Amino acid sequence: MVERTKKPSAIPVSPLAPAPQVSISDDSARVIATLPTGDRVEVLLYGATVISWKSANGKENLFLSDKAHLDGSKPVRGGIPVVFPLFGAPTAGHETGKLPQHGFARSSRWEYLGKSSSESSSLPGNGGDASVKLDFGLSEGIIDSKARSAWNHQFGLTYSITLSTGELYTSLAVSNTESSAWDFQVLFHTYLKIDDISKVSVTGLEETAYLDKVVAGGPKESSATKKAITFEQEIDRVYTKSDKTITVLESDEPRFEVKRDALGDVVVWNPWSEKAKGMADFGPADGWKSMVCVEAGSVGQWMTLEGGDTWEGGQRIKAL
């Protein structure tokens, strides 16, 4: 046997970079995704509602009522409910007039379509995958008969939730799968978690007119305030035709940044004490102090989707 004087050196094997972990709860009701950084998102299949989004340091970014129904018996109070195909109360005579408030998307069980992730090896300071995307689907074939009879159209919704370090991106693709056109509205009813509403301000809407829904005498169109939104009482406003980045500050320090794609309207809402008392699924009693809704949508008017067409819009929330 010939002894080699020079043996080939071993080829170093790089350890596998950590990857996002995605799991489904034992009762098949929730999908949970966690990044190697510790960022985490939890989605309830009922409504495809994001009920938790935590940053790498464990800080929760979404408010969820401690009285929220998570068993599918009613829409979730908190997190990010999906509003479709109408926003607010139904209008008599319109094709959505027989639907419940905010439509059926938030009260239907969605299908989990799967996950995908993106590499981050080229990004300095990152190991493993930079993000993970969860996809969910809803169509006329899987909504309940009551919703189907109230809104008898063929459609397909693909809802994508992308978790990356310090960010959450939610996007909705709406497809009209029939030959006739139909109208719709859409909104992400995002409940952001803050520490003290009295110290919160919202910027980016100073130059935007809005519909004031709590002013005496009923909803009223109001001109731009030219100043940041602050909170001293109940606020329920629909800002329309705005494309600016929105920043939520607490004690003058940026807490969240919201950017939008194809969603020109923003609802800003806090129920304050009296309104909160009247909501059976809202808790704790002083929970209104710890939340502010900044809701990206297209709700100022109806959008018409022609047969065979698809519309897509989304929001990117950055925790600061």
Side-chain angles (χ1 to χ4, degrees):
M1 183 174 182
V2 178
E3 187 73 20
R4 293 186 179 181
T5 56
K6 291 186 178 181
K7 296 181 180 180
S9 57
I11 300 174
V13 178
S14 300
L16 292 176
Q21 300 297 313
V22 177
S23 62
I24 299 175
S25 62
D26 292 339
D27 60 359
S28 299
R30 308 180 187 196
V31 179
I32 303 100
T34 306
L35 297 183
T37 55
D39 295 80
R40 183 180 185 274
V41 68
E42 184 171 350
V43 185
L44 192 68
L45 287 179
Y46 180 76
T49 309
V50 180
I51 57 174
S52 175
W53 165 39
K54 292 183 178 179
S55 298
N57 61 4
K59 188 176 182 66
E60 178 62 62
N61 296 309
L62 298 177
F63 172 85
L64 180 68
S65 167
D66 63 13
K67 295 182 180 179
H69 295 257
L70 303 180
D71 59 357
S73 60
K74 66 178 300 183
V76 176
R77 176 72 66 185
I80 310 180
V82 179
V83 173
F84 174 90
L86 85 156
F87 168 72
T91 302
H94 192 266
E95 60 183 305
T96 59
K98 295 181 180 180
L99 287 171
Q101 177 168 300
H102 292 335
F104 54 76
R106 64 179 187 149
S107 56
S108 298
R109 184 180 173 93
W110 293 56
E111 292 182 312
Y112 173 51
L113 303 178
K115 69 176 180 71
S116 58
S117 57
S118 62
E119 297 294 334
S120 68
S121 57
S122 63
L123 301 178
N126 276 319
D129 287 10
S131 65
V132 61
K133 181 166 73 76
L134 308 174
D135 291 324
F136 302 86
L138 188 69
S139 64
E140 78 281 354
I142 60 176
I143 61 175
D144 63 33
S145 58
K146 185 177 180 180
R148 194 161 52 247
S149 63
W151 196 70
N152 189 22
H153 289 295
Q154 296 173 29
F155 71 95
L157 303 182
T158 301
Y159 183 37
S160 298
I161 300 167
T162 303
L163 175 69
S164 56
T165 304
E167 290 189 355
L168 190 71
Y169 182 68
T170 64
S171 65
L172 185 68
V174 180
S175 296
N176 181 346
T177 56
E178 63 184 41
S179 57
S180 301
W182 39 255
D183 295 340
F184 74 102
Q185 295 172 323
V186 66
L187 175 131
F188 298 119
H189 200 312
T190 307
Y191 290 72
L192 297 173
K193 185 174 179 60
I194 44 87
D195 293 327
D196 184 352
I197 189 64
S198 69
K199 298 179 180 179
V200 168
S201 59
V202 178
T203 64
L205 297 167
E206 294 87 342
E207 305 297 324
T208 306
Y210 62 94
L211 178 69
D212 191 336
K213 299 177 70 175
V214 298
V215 69
K220 179 181 177 182
E221 297 287 347
S222 297
S223 57
T225 63
K226 309 295 183 180
K227 60 183 180 180
I229 303 167
T230 55
F231 300 84
E232 298 177 348
Q233 58 186 2
E234 180 187 359
I235 282 183
D236 191 356
R237 300 175 179 176
V238 182
Y239 289 83
T240 55
K241 300 178 181 178
S242 169
D243 59 2
K244 292 185 178 180
T245 297
I246 298 166
T247 304
V248 177
L249 302 96
E250 187 160 13
S251 299
D252 296 324
E253 293 293 329
R255 176 68 180 92
F256 297 102
E257 181 182 88
V258 182
K259 295 183 178 181
R260 294 160 290 134
D261 297 323
L263 297 172
D265 305 328
V266 180
V267 177
V268 178
W269 179 63
N270 181 283
W272 218 250
S273 55
E274 289 304 312
K275 183 72 172 286
K277 287 178 184 178
M279 295 185 288
D281 61 349
F282 191 93
D286 63 350
W288 57 273
K289 297 179 180 179
S290 303
M291 51 108 1
V292 61
C293 283
V294 177
E295 311 164 29
S298 185
V299 298
Q301 58 187 8
W302 293 102
M303 292 189 290
T304 300
L305 193 63
E306 299 295 332
D309 285 354
T310 296
W311 171 93
E312 185 171 358
Q315 66 169 355
R316 185 180 304 277
I317 311 173
K318 186 173 183 178
L320 302 171

